[in-house]
Amino acid sequence: MTAVHVPGIPIIEAGQLVSTNPATGVEAGRLPVASDADVRQAVDRARVAGEWWAGLGFSGRRARLLRWRALLAKRIEQLADLVHAEGGKPVADAIVEIVTAIEHIDWAARNAGRVLGPRRVRSRLILAEFSGHLEYQPHGVVGVIGPWNYPVFTPIGSAAYALAAGNAVVLKPSEYTPAVGQRLVDSFAEVVPEQQVFTAVHGLGDVGATLCRAGVDKVAFTGSTATARKVMAACAETLTPVLIEGGGKDAMIVDSDADLDAAAEACVWGGMTNAGQTCIGIERVYAVDSVFDTFVDKVVARAGQLTVGPEGSDIGPITMPKQIEVIRHHIDAAVASGGRAVLGGPTAVQPPYVHPTVLVDVPEDSAAVREETFGPTLTINRVRDADEAVTRANALPYGLGGSVFGRRRAVAIARRLRSGMASINSTLTFAGMSTLPFGGVGDSGFGRIHGEDGLREFGRAKAITRRRARSLLPSMTFERTPTDMARLVKAIKMMYGR
Ligand code: NDP
């Protein structure tokens, strides 16, 4: 019997995972589903490949990773077309996503040696007769589990850094975007044909669960907070370290001295790019009373001009069909509890599309304010001042990113946001800055990808001491004498006893 294709819903047909475009239902990818044994074999093969890859050293890996990013750059249009075909994302959004991913590969390749390579560290007066050496060695095999909403940027945010650090990577792409995941590993194999350093295993969530238990040395998970809890539980069985990039409900604060045109433009983009299906997307806005009305008018004017549709539009279909009911519920509940739709509203939900929706005066306990909506929707609420905005922004268990528009107080406000990242007078920009770490707090996860912290996330600190002289105050030996100990006590009192 042939399974029925419902647009956007992945199915398994004759042992193959089939992905389809959420707007048209046209098949986008067909990849073999990995059995438990396949996943374990992939990890075993990756372990062998990883030893070879680690042996190339930083310069050997850098050369190959730079060739990979060159290949992706040359073929950027083809990859963007596939991202569009599989997830429905507008091609322009896909291009921006891939550009960002390429930038991260480039930075990770060029900087891994400097950040992770062997170096001397200073010793102090205590143990001055030893020199200190530090390096970050690869974990071995890193399992990367990725979501569908940024099927290039999110896996590469972990994989490029893990590879640059000398690890092999086994990727489990989302069941909604397996073809994009496979394209990434295939392109890598073109420039690194010798060994299977970066491979993919496909299937539903159970394949991800198997990967966590297949002997990987670290798991880098990007996805929802609910799945993150399962991943951590699975990894706890073997004390496998995990990195969690979870969900978010990012807030934007518009202060009284903000440039309101710039704020409105960035708010609409930050909230509605990729149809709002962005972990660091702006979902709620707190605008201070004095600028609230003008700001809302400007947002509505801009968001109202966005085009919605399958091709060449600003907003494409909702990738995961079941999310449409979540979006519908959030809008309906917000309106039922006293919120007002100043753009869109309940009628904006027209599967597989959701038209831009701006809700104001939504109660703070409403799902539209507290839970991930993942649609082209914004709540904008009025606050007395920036202090109240910060209190409300920080009231959720999530803490991924955030944005502040303003002048005098903007930096102070950004620092007070309970989040791993914030952008001032822009939205989402921290994601593209490869020199900055990316990650959240609370329900948004822990650990960091990108930047120097992102490289260190995929290396194990290895500390080495080396004797370079005889000990003047021997203490870590049974050869020590009472006189040695008395001199040590005297020295420590002189050094630290004041
Ligand atoms: P999910 O948590 O549903 O899935 C993420 C990945 O985990 C998928 O590959 C999924 O496979 C896999 N998976 C499912 N069950 C398990 C399991 N038991 N063990 C191991 N892996 C499993 O997230 P979505 O794909 O829906 O992605 C959207 C979410 O990702 C949002 O919450 C968003 O905020 C978050 N996200 C966070 C980012 C960040 O950097 N913090 C960036 C981008 C998105 P399958 O698809 O086959 O079910």
Side-chain angles (χ1 to χ4, degrees):
M1 198 179 89
T2 309
V4 179
H5 290 248
V6 177
I9 297 186
I11 55 161
I12 291 178
E13 203 173 66
Q16 307 270 312
L17 175 64
V18 183
S19 61
T20 53
N21 181 282
T24 62
V26 171
E27 183 174 319
R30 186 173 281 261
L31 279 311
V33 173
S35 65
D36 285 8
D38 294 336
V39 176
R40 284 175 201 284
Q41 272 171 23
V43 173
D44 290 347
R45 276 199 303 270
R47 189 165 307 289
V48 176
E51 281 170 23
W52 171 82
W53 179 246
L56 292 177
F58 290 107
S59 60
R61 293 194 294 271
R62 171 190 159 123
R64 286 164 172 82
L65 285 166
L66 292 180
R67 286 212 294 275
W68 184 37
R69 68 94 166 88
L71 191 66
L72 291 174
K74 275 186 215 133
R75 298 186 190 155
I76 190 166
E77 291 95 341
Q78 291 95 312
L79 183 55
D81 285 346
L82 181 61
V83 171
H84 169 65
E86 193 167 50
K89 176 180 297 196
V91 172
D93 279 344
I95 297 267
V96 174
E97 172 181 357
I98 300 164
V99 165
T100 314
I102 288 170
E103 159 64 20
H104 282 291
I105 298 172
D106 187 80
W107 191 86
R110 291 181 190 280
N111 289 278
R114 176 181 63 78
V115 177
L116 305 177
R119 93 235 12 211
R120 288 277 293 271
V121 295
R122 287 171 68 99
S123 48
R124 306 236 302 162
L125 212 50
I126 295 293
L127 296 179
E129 67 274 33
F130 294 90
S131 59
H133 301 257
L134 172 64
E135 66 185 75
Y136 292 83
Q137 299 180 344
H139 289 270
V141 182
V142 174
V144 172
I145 300 176
W148 47 266
N149 60 338
Y150 286 84
V152 177
F153 169 78
T154 50
I156 283 185
S158 294
Y161 288 78
L163 290 164
N167 302 280
V169 170
V170 178
L171 166 67
K172 154 65 179 80
S174 164
E175 66 202 45
Y176 291 88
T177 52
V180 173
Q182 188 62 39
R183 180 73 63 87
L184 295 180
V185 302
D186 287 348
S187 61
F188 184 85
E190 281 188 54
V191 297
V192 185
E194 299 95 330
Q195 297 262 354
Q196 296 186 27
V197 176
F198 181 26
T199 52
V201 289
H202 298 285
L204 308 182
D206 59 308
V207 174
T210 303
L211 182 59
C212 295
R213 296 186 169 95
V216 291
D217 302 289
K218 177 146 191 168
V219 170
F221 171 82
T222 308
S224 65
T225 305
T227 309
R229 293 185 213 284
K230 295 184 195 166
V231 166
M232 276 190 78
C235 289
E237 294 167 13
T238 47
L239 284 192
T240 302
V242 285
L243 157 75
I244 300 290
E245 295 291 346
K249 186 75 181 173
D250 286 0
M252 174 169 163
I253 293 175
V254 185
D255 203 359
S256 54
D257 57 356
D259 174 339
L260 297 185
D261 287 305
E265 180 275 320
C267 174
V268 171
W269 189 74
M272 298 186 182
T273 180
N274 194 25
Q277 305 167 110
T278 305
C279 55
I280 50 168
I282 299 300
E283 297 218 351
R284 43 192 188 120
V285 184
Y286 298 106
V288 300
D289 186 40
S290 58
V291 297
F292 180 86
D293 293 324
T294 314
F295 173 72
V296 169
D297 288 347
K298 289 179 186 291
V299 169
V300 168
R302 281 180 166 77
Q305 286 168 10
L306 298 181
T307 55
V308 181
E311 301 296 335
S313 303
D314 299 313
I315 295 181
I318 299 303
T319 303
M320 201 167 54
K322 67 180 181 211
Q323 192 67 22
I324 289 174
E325 289 318 308
V326 175
I327 301 168
R328 192 197 301 277
H329 164 66
H330 284 195
I331 295 174
D332 290 352
V335 171
S337 59
R340 281 185 299 122
V342 288
L343 180 71
T347 57
V349 182
Q350 297 167 22
Y353 302 101
V354 176
H355 291 253
T357 290
V358 179
L359 303 160
V360 297
D361 302 334
V362 182
E364 291 287 310
D365 62 355
S366 176
V369 176
R370 295 195 64 83
E371 298 166 18
E372 257 190 337
T373 307
F374 247 48
T377 65
L378 288 162
T379 65
I380 310 180
N381 278 349
R382 188 189 298 266
V383 286
R384 200 175 47 250
D385 54 23
D387 285 342
E388 188 184 1
V390 170
T391 304
R392 291 204 197 184
N394 289 349
L396 298 190
Y398 287 123
L400 196 51
S403 164
V404 181
F405 269 79
R407 291 193 180 87
R408 274 171 303 131
R409 290 173 294 261
V411 174
I413 295 168
R415 294 178 68 201
R416 286 170 62 199
L417 281 178
R418 181 182 164 274
S419 67
M421 304 155 295
S423 44
I424 295 172
N425 296 333
S426 69
T427 48
L428 323 189
T429 39
F430 45 74
M433 198 173 285
S434 49
T435 44
L436 279 176
F438 183 104
V441 302
D443 277 7
S444 295
F446 52 83
R448 292 294 180 264
I449 56 173
H450 304 173
E452 295 191 2
D453 295 88
L455 282 168
R456 284 190 205 101
E457 190 75 45
F458 296 104
R460 264 197 289 254
K462 178 69 178 255
I464 299 173
T465 52
R466 182 175 182 179
R467 181 180 288 282
R468 56 182 182 183
R470 199 172 60 83
S471 296
L472 291 176
L473 289 175
S475 59
M476 297 173 85
T477 167
F478 289 121
E479 308 287 307
R480 67 197 168 201
T481 64
T483 311
D484 291 331
M485 294 314 291
R487 284 162 64 196
L488 179 65
V489 168
K490 193 173 169 189
I492 215 73
K493 283 185 177 168
M494 273 170 59
M495 283 162 57
Y496 301 128
R498 284 171 282 142

